Amino acid sequence: TTTGGRRSSTRRNTAPQPEEDSRQKMERLSAQVNALNDKLSQMEQQQRTLVDLERLSRAETRAEGLRVQLRDVQEKEADLQARSEQLDYESKPEVIERTLAVTGSTRPEELRETRRRQLEAEKSRVQSQLNLIATSRARLETAIANADAEADRIRARVDAASVPEQTDQPTVTDVGAQPAGTTRANDTADGQPE
């Protein structure tokens, strides 16, 4: 009976081992699956960050291109404003008379009237160009504001995505180092010891 008792106890001890081995294997596999899922989510996050960085680069490039266009439009607007002021000056009756004084004519009134009409026609063209440029300038300013807002949104998303990565990494500090932004009592303003 003692031999039979030993055999049965041996059988009982050996039977649970395969269960423990399979449980350990399951735990190991589960840990590997969790690690792979973590790695996959990190890779997806990195991919999203790369896409956001590309979008950010495009938005900043677009905004810079729009700013160049706006500068060109502002230069044209300034030139047209100067021309409009010059036409206002040249349209004054005394300036027209002075300009035509060197021209000999038997009908000076007709020459003055023709010159005045020419100046008014040119002034009308300049004014219509100024109106178009003002509309174009307003559109460009709106487009620049939108591009800057989009770049800011993307930049905030990229910054938010990079913050967890930075906090996951352990910080290594020098034992003798002091916290940033503090100075020792004998340091001067430029950070050099006295």
Side-chain angles (χ1 to χ4, degrees):
T1 58
T2 53
T3 313
R6 287 184 194 155
R7 286 183 192 155
S8 64
S9 66
T10 316
R11 286 184 195 150
R12 281 187 225 139
N13 291 340
T14 56
Q17 270 186 332
E19 277 184 30
E20 289 177 15
D21 288 344
S22 64
R23 190 175 304 135
Q24 287 175 350
K25 285 180 184 179
M26 289 293 286
E27 288 174 0
R28 217 172 338 146
L29 288 173
S30 177
Q32 288 176 352
V33 167
N34 288 339
L36 288 173
N37 283 336
D38 290 345
K39 190 164 270 212
L40 180 62
S41 64
Q42 285 177 350
M43 289 171 64
E44 287 173 348
Q45 180 63 37
Q46 288 173 348
Q47 184 66 30
R48 280 193 295 268
T49 302
L50 288 174
V51 169
D52 284 342
L53 286 172
E54 178 64 29
R55 286 181 182 162
L56 177 62
S57 173
R58 277 187 268 152
E60 288 174 342
T61 302
R62 181 171 176 260
E64 187 56 37
L66 290 170
R67 282 189 182 88
V68 168
Q69 290 179 19
L70 180 62
R71 279 192 292 272
D72 291 344
V73 165
Q74 288 171 336
E75 286 175 11
K76 288 178 186 175
E77 186 176 29
D79 291 344
L80 287 171
Q81 283 287 3
R83 181 64 182 146
S84 177
E85 290 170 7
Q86 183 181 2
L87 288 171
D88 282 342
Y89 174 76
E90 290 177 5
S91 296
K92 292 180 180 178
E94 61 272 11
V95 175
I96 291 175
E97 197 167 317
R98 211 175 322 132
T99 305
L100 296 175
V102 292
T103 308
S105 172
T106 55
R107 298 184 182 142
E109 297 84 21
E110 288 178 11
L111 282 175
R112 284 193 294 264
E113 186 62 25
T114 303
R115 179 68 181 153
R116 188 185 61 75
R117 278 193 223 125
Q118 287 173 345
L119 292 171
E120 284 182 6
E122 187 175 354
K123 185 168 168 106
S124 175
R125 282 193 305 271
V126 167
Q127 189 58 47
S128 65
Q129 287 177 339
L130 279 170
N131 293 340
L132 288 172
I133 283 182
T135 304
S136 178
R137 181 173 42 80
R139 275 194 220 126
L140 283 170
E141 287 170 349
T142 302
I144 288 170
N146 291 340
D148 285 343
E150 180 183 359
D152 289 342
R153 279 193 307 270
I154 295 170
R155 193 175 294 112
R157 209 165 44 220
V158 168
D159 290 345
S162 67
V163 167
E165 292 174 11
Q166 293 172 356
T167 57
D168 289 346
Q169 298 172 355
T171 55
V172 179
T173 56
D174 187 10
V175 175
Q178 60 189 13
T182 61
T183 58
R184 292 186 202 127
N186 59 350
D187 283 356
T188 59
D190 62 356
Q192 298 296 324
E194 291 178 341

